[in-house]
Amino acid sequence: LSLKAFTIAGALLWGGAILFVGLVNLLRPGYGLDFLQLTSSVYPWFHVSHTIGSVVIGTIDGFADGAVGSLIFALLYNGFAGR
């Protein structure tokens, strides 16, 4: 696996998921509430406060976490695949 491509893809996927759910939650406060509460329990700076600032912080946390998690996954995969 390409480390760069997989890391970027993971960051965009996870950060984008938090961004999407957070933005829809601003419009419909009940939407994705359990997901956002679970996410806020993992990321210390992210709180479900129904503000755009909170959505931005959650998105940044998601991008960083998605990048690190995807990079570790790709490194492990390449290691076990013998690359």
Side-chain angles (χ1 to χ4, degrees):
L1 295 173
S2 166
L3 297 180
K4 181 179 176 183
F6 203 79
T7 299
I8 292 170
L12 290 174
L13 183 66
W14 187 237
I18 294 173
L19 175 64
F20 177 76
V21 174
L23 289 176
V24 174
N25 181 267
L26 290 176
L27 300 172
R28 299 181 58 122
Y31 179 83
L33 191 57
D34 290 337
F35 171 76
L36 293 173
Q37 287 173 340
L38 174 70
T39 305
S40 72
S41 73
V42 175
Y43 302 131
W45 299 284
F46 176 58
H47 305 288
V48 185
S49 60
H50 303 290
T51 64
I52 193 68
S54 177
V55 172
V56 169
I57 290 171
T59 301
I60 292 169
D61 286 345
F63 279 132
D65 188 39
V68 171
S70 297
L71 177 63
I72 292 170
F73 181 87
L75 286 168
L76 287 171
Y77 179 87
N78 288 342
F80 286 116
R83 186 172 178 198

